[in-house]
Amino acid sequence: MKVPKSHPRRKSLEEHERIARYFRNGIVAPAGMMAHGRGEAFDYLIGERTTEEAKRQAMAAAALLLTAKRPVICVNGNTTALCAKEIAELSRAIPASVEVNLFYRTKKRLGLIEAEFRKLGIRVLGTKKTARVPGLVSKRQFVDPDGVFAADAALVMLEDGDRTEFLRKMGKKVIAIDLNPLSRTARNADIAIVDNVTRAVPLLAKFVRKLRKKKRKTLMNIVKKFDNIKSLEESESRIRGGAGRWKRG
Ligand code: ATP
């Protein structure tokens, strides 16, 4: 379906179409479509644009990614469908590895996601079951010994709250991109960015480029000053603030 250029919600509808197309080609799992629907609802409530809170969250996240020694970006079917190119650019800007992690993990889906990133010049980690996140029972427990297992920081998107919690128990810093400020993922993360991955990933890359030349101490200070729960409360309060508080369109 071609969405008219003048449609006020064109971007959201195009993303919707994209998820459906990648579902048909096997990259997005059926549950991924439902997760996308939940995300769309929250995105509608924040006005389908990056809020001031999200900009502050992304700035702190960029600082954290730059101070990490072994950062990893975790991808799944939805994020591959929506922003593989932008993820590849972010991974080069930091630099960070890219690792695939799936709840509905099948050889076919792993291969399809690996191929999408290969086209972008990225060798995706995580296709072999060689290391585990202790405590996790789902297939999301499988991680790459050279990727998430050895990482000191992980950027996760459309994640489940359990894995975020267990990754933190392993001593890793977790940055989450999640449109739902109430999700366990957002609340368990060190830094949560309440924004659509399609906007948050390029914004993160922009801030990484902006902060890259800053001293480590300056970056660490930005991270230290950030309070995730307080920041999530700001995001939540914008949503609860009512339709009259911002302009849509
Ligand atoms: P949790 O376990 O963290 O409480 P959950 O059970 O809702 O969360 P999932 O079913 O994996 O976890 O849902 C995925 C999350 O990703 C939801 O919170 C949803 O709002 C969010 N989400 C969906 N699409 C996007 C998107 N495009 N950008 C950012 N976040 C998204």
Side-chain angles (χ1 to χ4, degrees):
M1 181 189 82
K2 189 108 181 92
V3 186
K5 274 208 160 61
S6 58
H7 196 293
R9 300 192 54 253
R10 180 162 73 108
K11 213 161 166 282
S12 173
L13 295 175
E14 281 173 355
E15 282 166 17
H16 199 111
E17 283 288 311
R18 222 176 148 76
I19 288 287
R21 181 151 42 90
Y22 275 76
F23 167 70
R24 289 192 293 272
N25 77 15
I27 286 185
V28 169
M33 293 212 287
M34 290 177 240
H36 183 77
R38 189 145 65 252
E40 271 186 340
F42 280 103
D43 207 8
Y44 196 93
L45 290 169
I46 63 167
E48 292 169 352
R49 52 148 183 69
T50 300
T51 64
E52 288 307 311
E53 298 78 66
K55 285 182 196 161
R56 290 193 288 274
Q57 294 156 354
M59 182 70 87
L64 177 50
L65 285 167
L66 285 169
T67 56
K69 289 198 174 66
R70 295 188 70 156
V72 174
I73 304 174
C74 297
V75 297
N76 66 3
N78 287 47
T79 50
T80 303
L82 290 173
C83 53
K85 188 167 154 273
E86 291 76 7
I87 290 169
E89 279 164 17
L90 175 63
S91 80
R92 288 193 179 100
I94 299 172
S97 322
V98 179
E99 177 164 335
V100 56
N101 183 263
L102 304 174
F103 191 90
Y104 298 98
R105 184 184 168 105
T106 63
K107 252 196 171 151
K108 186 178 166 219
R109 288 186 68 221
L110 287 171
L112 287 167
I113 292 171
E114 196 178 23
E116 285 288 306
F117 278 95
R118 198 182 307 121
K119 280 191 252 166
L120 298 162
I122 300 286
R123 192 177 73 84
V124 157
L125 302 173
T127 51
K128 296 185 181 65
K129 289 185 186 177
T130 38
R132 287 162 197 261
V133 175
L136 257 189
V137 285
S138 76
K139 287 191 177 173
R140 286 200 140 185
Q141 69 181 280
F142 300 115
V143 288
D144 198 298
D146 296 322
V148 166
F149 193 76
D152 55 348
L155 169 64
V156 302
M157 311 171 235
L158 285 99
E159 189 63 65
D160 53 61
D162 293 353
R163 202 170 91 108
T164 306
E165 194 185 326
F166 286 115
L167 287 175
R168 284 200 64 189
K169 279 194 181 146
M170 287 174 85
K172 301 176 196 311
K173 297 282 179 198
V174 179
I175 295 155
I177 303 175
D178 192 328
L179 276 159
N180 177 5
L182 298 169
S183 80
R184 291 175 310 147
T185 304
R187 302 183 78 80
N188 281 331
D190 291 277
I191 299 176
I193 308 170
V194 182
D195 202 5
N196 195 323
V197 292
T198 55
R199 297 186 299 266
V201 172
L203 183 65
L204 259 178
K206 184 178 143 194
F207 286 153
V208 162
R209 285 186 204 108
K210 193 171 162 183
L211 293 178
R212 195 190 272 131
K213 292 213 172 76
K214 298 272 183 220
K215 289 201 182 87
R216 190 174 167 81
K217 207 173 148 205
T218 311
L219 298 173
M220 285 169 87
N221 255 333
I222 297 176
V223 176
K224 215 169 116 195
K225 276 200 214 134
F226 186 82
D227 179 334
N228 191 48
I229 295 298
K230 194 165 160 254
S231 169
L232 287 173
E233 275 166 5
E234 287 169 6
S235 299
E236 187 193 337
S237 111
R238 181 182 290 268
I239 291 172
R240 291 193 194 270
R245 282 198 40 198
W246 61 87
K247 249 178 74 191
R248 180 176 301 284

